[in-house]
Amino acid sequence: MRRGAASLAIVAALLTASLSFCAEKLDIKEHFLDNGMKVLILEDHSAPLAVVLVWVRVGARNDPTGTSGVSHLVEHMMFKGTSQMEPAEFSEIIQRYGGRENAGTGRDFTSYFAYVPSSRVEEAVRLWADIMSNAAFKPDGFLSERDVVLEELRLGLNDPHEAVFDEATAASFHAHPYGRPVVGWISDVQRMTRDEAYNHYRTYYVPNNMRLIIAGDVTEALAIRLARKYFGKTKKGPEPPEVRTQEPKQTGERRVNVRREAFLPMVTITWHTPAAGDPDILPLEVLAQILAGGESSRLHRELVYEKQICTSVNAWPYQLLDPGLFYITCMVSGGHTAEEAEKAVYEILEKLKVEPVQDRELKKAANQYLSTFIFGQESILWQGFVIGYYDALLSYDIINRLPEMVRSITKEQIMDAANKYLTTENRTVTTLVPLAPKEPGKLMRGVRGQMPGGMRR
């Protein structure tokens, strides 16, 4: 993400109350421009604010071999000026109006947003249209931004937690480009040329590969008029190439040790899961909440509070266009070992495979997963992100069906998903083996976050 920022599936806040009052349906309007661009509009006049987002169906999975990280570098270049704008001028204009703007690259897509007073929504649409069609990619700007990305990469290499995540993902995928870091391998980025990045931009930044989302204090008529006025000028481009590589079935456990300067061990366990939209994905989401969704979840309760083997635990399935992964991460406490944490995780998983969860636990887990939708109703920016994310991944209409789908998940589906995917032969175990720091106090520490869109830094 630009500005070294955070990541685009925000971790849902803990919510144990009933969601019977949940989420009135979003009245999303769909239009298509003649050039194939999809436009999604949500009117919300609760505050004089609007968000304009552009979602491009390009991410790390689309990076050609030898140019890993090119989608992320292109994202950086979108803020380096056009034939009409100087570098940084876009950000200065948006901020002058009291707005915010940023962007993020994920494995499947890249997203851009500008959050502005509704009186400035036309300016935001105009500026994004200029950037999406006319980014300059000046050679000196490319070299300076490539250096920025390289520094981002070096910081990640120095962070042992980042290293474990990257090694775990790379070891899990032997064929599919999901195994590459979103920011790329450092050797690829070092050798990347301006023309390679520019050609990638021209290939994927075509209107028929984009979605424009306008949400907030605007009318549908105004929003579609602005979309046609500014984005309708761009001609439809050739359909970008499809990703054809499929990850072969994993047939045995894989193990990786990462030896880095660190204070304490860490263990990350991954299992292959189906693509977004598969019937098993939502049971896996609820299973993740049962395992690590809050202080009363099974992994937290047993590993952190009762046995004190770990200082923290996390679990989540990575929903992607192609089959992804289910992650469990454990930060091991002093005086304990990664082997202890791993053994405790498996004991909890085996119990879930044979004993149905309690009704109350299932209901709470479903509520936790849906809580972002409740809190999202109060944020126009979040509404825009949710629309862009689900439409790029599946379809925007799933948003209004999701609460019912999640609440209908059964105990049997949870057990079936655990038995089907969280198996020994389907898992990869990556362990951080701490090395004593050469310079005490200089260790880089950090944990990746998530945002809508599967984006990670």
Side-chain angles (χ1 to χ4, degrees):
M1 209 167 180
R2 198 168 60 92
R3 298 177 185 158
S7 37
L8 235 168
I10 291 175
V11 178
L14 178 64
L15 184 70
T16 56
S18 170
L19 298 189
S20 59
F21 60 94
C22 175
E24 65 184 70
K25 293 188 176 182
L26 300 181
D27 186 17
I28 302 164
K29 304 297 185 183
E30 177 187 78
H31 296 266
F32 283 92
L33 304 185
D34 291 342
N35 56 20
M37 173 177 265
K38 180 187 281 191
V39 183
L40 298 172
I41 302 163
L42 175 66
E43 291 191 41
D44 183 338
H45 303 286
S46 58
L49 298 167
V51 60
V52 178
L53 305 99
V54 181
W55 285 70
V56 188
R57 295 259 300 202
V58 62
R61 80 191 273 273
N62 306 103
D63 295 349
T65 300
T67 56
S68 64
V70 66
S71 294
H72 175 249
L73 187 48
V74 166
E75 176 221 312
H76 278 245
M77 291 304 299
M78 303 301 278
F79 296 88
K80 299 298 286 184
T82 70
S83 57
Q84 304 295 320
M85 278 189 288
E86 293 297 318
E89 185 178 350
F90 169 76
S91 299
E92 291 170 0
I93 293 171
I94 296 299
Q95 291 167 21
R96 190 187 311 146
Y97 297 147
R100 290 186 285 145
E101 41 63 50
N102 213 324
T105 306
R107 284 181 158 75
D108 291 326
F109 31 73
T110 307
S111 68
Y112 301 82
F113 78 87
Y115 190 38
V116 295
S118 52
S119 59
R120 300 296 183 178
V121 68
E122 179 167 4
E123 187 77 345
V125 175
R126 181 184 70 81
L127 293 170
W128 277 137
D130 183 30
I131 288 172
M132 295 298 142
S133 297
N134 304 309
F137 279 74
K138 294 180 180 178
D140 57 343
F142 172 79
L143 292 175
S144 67
E145 211 58 35
R146 188 179 66 180
D147 287 343
V148 170
V149 173
L150 286 170
E151 181 60 22
E152 186 179 340
L153 270 165
R154 292 186 185 102
L155 288 172
L157 289 172
N158 289 332
D159 185 332
H161 303 158
E162 297 273 344
V164 169
F165 182 87
D166 287 342
E167 291 288 351
T169 306
S172 300
F173 290 106
H174 281 183
H176 197 281
Y178 282 153
R180 307 167 187 160
V182 170
V183 291
W185 299 116
I186 194 166
S187 59
D188 286 349
V189 178
Q190 286 172 330
R191 292 170 173 79
M192 200 177 301
T193 67
R194 178 266 179 196
D195 287 349
E196 286 172 329
Y198 184 74
N199 290 338
H200 193 76
Y201 163 63
R202 281 301 177 201
T203 299
Y204 290 95
Y205 282 66
V206 292
N208 39 303
N209 197 46
M210 298 181 189
R211 285 153 174 78
L212 173 67
I213 299 99
I214 303 175
D217 186 27
V218 293
T219 64
E220 179 185 0
L222 174 62
I224 191 60
R225 180 176 68 80
L226 295 177
R228 288 172 177 152
K229 179 179 179 180
Y230 295 108
F231 280 94
K233 300 174 183 177
T234 308
K235 293 182 179 179
K236 181 178 181 178
E239 290 298 321
E242 289 292 323
V243 175
R244 296 184 295 180
T245 302
Q246 295 182 355
E247 183 68 20
K249 179 180 176 63
Q250 184 170 332
T251 56
E253 183 186 71
R254 300 169 188 166
R255 286 190 170 268
V256 179
N257 285 340
V258 178
R259 298 181 182 276
R260 291 294 177 93
E261 293 182 17
F263 294 113
L264 295 168
M266 169 184 175
V267 60
T268 292
I269 311 167
T270 60
W271 294 265
H272 292 278
T273 56
D278 187 279
D280 289 332
I281 279 292
L282 288 180
L284 285 168
E285 289 280 7
V286 175
L287 174 58
Q289 293 295 326
I290 291 169
L291 288 170
E295 295 182 358
S296 62
S297 63
R298 295 195 180 194
L299 289 175
H300 274 281
R301 188 173 64 244
E302 186 163 334
L303 274 67
V304 178
Y305 294 104
E306 294 179 5
K307 296 181 178 178
Q308 298 184 3
I309 297 171
C310 299
T311 59
S312 66
V313 291
N314 286 286
W316 74 95
Y318 213 154
Q319 289 197 48
L320 298 165
L321 289 174
D322 295 327
L325 297 173
F326 189 101
Y327 290 81
I328 292 179
T329 64
C330 301
M331 309 300 294
V332 181
S333 302
H336 293 275
T337 66
E339 290 76 16
E340 287 180 84
E342 189 182 345
K343 181 175 181 289
V345 168
Y346 299 151
E347 289 173 353
I348 291 170
L349 292 180
E350 289 307 310
K351 188 174 182 179
L352 273 168
K353 291 177 182 180
V354 297
E355 294 182 13
V357 299
Q358 298 297 312
D359 290 338
R360 181 179 178 183
E361 186 178 23
L362 178 61
K363 183 177 181 180
K364 186 186 77 170
N367 287 350
Q368 287 173 318
Y369 180 67
L370 289 171
S371 64
T372 45
F373 288 87
I374 288 183
F375 293 115
Q377 300 307 307
E378 301 174 2
S379 167
I380 295 167
L381 178 58
W382 176 247
Q383 287 177 347
F385 268 120
V386 168
I387 293 168
Y389 169 59
Y390 278 105
D391 196 66
L393 196 63
L394 296 165
S395 171
Y396 70 90
D397 62 6
I398 197 174
I399 296 169
N400 290 326
R401 295 186 285 113
L402 192 63
E404 181 181 350
M405 293 166 65
V406 172
R407 292 197 193 99
S408 68
I409 291 170
T410 65
K411 305 172 187 179
E412 290 74 23
Q413 287 176 298
I414 299 294
M415 291 177 63
D416 288 347
N419 280 286
K420 186 174 182 179
Y421 299 104
L422 307 187
T423 65
T424 302
E425 57 274 8
N426 189 39
R427 76 185 177 212
T428 299
V429 183
T430 306
T431 303
L432 172 63
V433 180
L435 300 178
K438 297 174 184 176
E439 297 181 65
K442 296 267 184 171
L443 289 180
M444 296 291 298
R445 306 191 67 166
V447 178
R448 292 170 183 260
Q450 294 182 304
M451 292 183 68
M455 299 191 181
R456 309 182 75 81
R457 55 184 172 96

